[in-house]
Amino acid sequence: TALHIFDFDGTLVRTPGKEDGAVLLEAATGQILRGGGWWGREESLGQIVLPTPLDRSRVISSVFDELEEISVRSLTAAAIVMTGRLSKLRPAVLRVLDEAAIAHTREPTSFLLHEAVFTHPGLGLSTIAFKTALISKIIEEGPEALRKIKELHIWEDRVEHAELFAGTFAAGLRSKMGITTTVHFVGAETP
């Protein structure tokens, strides 16, 4: 009856931004990070910035609790992770998520299903356009069980994305499909 969508950076895992990441990279390699974005770089999820095993302090525990509960124990809800990280970074995203799950649960293996993790295909789409289109597609064309949901929960750390999900996107889903959308904002102080 419910689908939960979890963002990755800043929602499930505290990944370093460009400023902090550049400092870590320079300290380890002596090279200064120049030009370009941060979130599309392989270094942004690499071993220098996020070493194995992932430090438990990087896991946003209260949100990971929800992800684990839905993924492992719920009989009425499904959970997926959806990130604006480009598909070329999928292996690194999966590594970090698996290590976060292991750090969080203290189990020897991750509970995450890799098939339930979606990365951005690029193609010039903004992250919000990618996410809203994919959520709509999953609800309209995905597995039959997901086409019958009554509730959508979105876990998000970016204010502008949370506002759009809670506003026009939620209104569209309610009027078109009768789905109630709840946005759970994950702030920097979220434990």
Side-chain angles (χ1 to χ4, degrees):
T1 59
L3 174 62
H4 291 251
I5 309 283
F6 292 86
D7 178 51
F8 171 59
D9 294 291
T11 301
L12 287 170
V13 180
R14 290 181 177 89
T15 53
K18 185 175 184 177
E19 190 174 297
D20 292 337
V23 169
L24 291 168
L25 285 170
E26 185 178 351
T29 66
Q31 296 179 345
I32 297 173
L33 187 66
R34 301 205 191 282
W38 172 251
W39 304 106
R41 291 177 180 254
E42 291 181 22
E43 300 96 326
S44 67
L45 293 173
Q47 292 287 334
I48 292 171
V49 175
L50 291 167
T52 297
L54 186 71
D55 190 284
R56 190 166 161 71
S57 68
R58 294 233 175 248
V59 180
I60 302 174
S61 296
S62 61
V63 182
F64 235 96
D65 283 341
E66 294 291 334
L67 176 62
E68 180 188 12
E69 177 67 26
I70 295 157
S71 298
V72 176
R73 289 179 275 289
S74 179
L75 300 176
T76 60
I80 64 174
V81 176
M82 193 175 292
T83 178
R85 294 288 190 144
L86 296 175
S87 294
K88 70 178 185 176
L89 299 177
R90 181 176 173 75
V93 168
L94 293 174
R95 173 191 73 87
V96 172
L97 282 171
D98 282 340
E99 289 185 16
I102 291 166
H104 180 69
T105 62
R106 299 185 180 172
E107 295 290 331
T109 58
S110 172
F111 65 83
L112 287 168
L113 293 173
H114 289 187
E115 301 80 27
V117 177
F118 295 88
T119 51
H120 195 306
L123 309 173
L125 290 174
S126 67
T127 297
I128 194 70
F130 154 69
K131 287 184 175 183
T132 54
L134 184 56
I135 293 168
S136 296
K137 185 174 182 167
I138 289 169
I139 292 170
E140 293 171 11
E141 302 172 20
E144 187 174 343
L146 294 181
R147 287 185 258 149
K148 297 178 182 181
I149 66 164
K150 300 294 179 212
E151 297 174 34
L152 176 66
H153 293 263
I154 301 174
W155 303 79
E156 177 64 56
D157 70 307
R158 290 173 66 176
V159 172
E160 63 276 15
H161 288 191
E163 289 173 347
L164 188 135
F165 286 135
T168 55
F169 186 69
L173 286 178
R174 180 180 283 286
S175 67
K176 187 176 177 184
M177 302 172 155
I179 296 171
T180 301
T181 302
T182 303
V183 176
H184 305 270
F185 181 72
V186 181
E189 71 291 342
T190 302

